[in-house]
Amino acid sequence: VGAREDEPGDKRLVSYLILHARAEESEASSEQAKAGEVSDEAAVLRQREQQSIVAELRAALTQQVPEYMVPAHFVVLAALP
């Protein structure tokens, strides 16, 4: 989690996430990606799954910490830089 200030005086928390797929899904996705076979449908399904996970995480955080501590944005990364 980091603080980001896109506009002067407007600081927001941003959470950077790496989501781990199940082992067999991860291996299949890796092989497809290497072969350039990732379909648009698979990408849309992955994006919807990520949005669902982020929504669940936001809801859980809202129950556990004050609102000002819940990140305004969640960014899903393939790996940490």
Side-chain angles (χ1 to χ4, degrees):
V1 176
R4 183 176 173 126
E5 186 174 12
D6 290 331
E7 297 179 21
D10 186 23
K11 291 184 182 179
R12 297 171 186 248
L13 291 179
V14 179
S15 176
Y16 298 92
L17 307 169
I18 299 172
L19 303 178
H20 295 281
R22 287 180 272 163
E24 60 272 3
E25 288 178 4
S26 181
E27 289 175 14
S29 296
S30 295
E31 290 174 13
Q32 289 175 340
K34 287 177 185 174
E37 298 174 2
V38 178
S39 69
D40 290 338
E41 183 177 320
V44 169
L45 290 174
R46 191 174 312 120
Q47 183 179 10
R48 286 183 185 160
E49 182 180 13
Q50 289 175 357
Q51 290 172 342
S52 174
I53 291 169
V54 166
E56 289 176 29
L57 180 57
R58 185 183 306 276
L61 286 171
T62 301
Q63 298 294 319
Q64 300 294 319
V65 299
E67 185 178 339
Y68 71 90
M69 294 179 73
V70 177
H73 303 285
F74 292 84
V75 179
V76 179
L77 304 172
L80 288 176

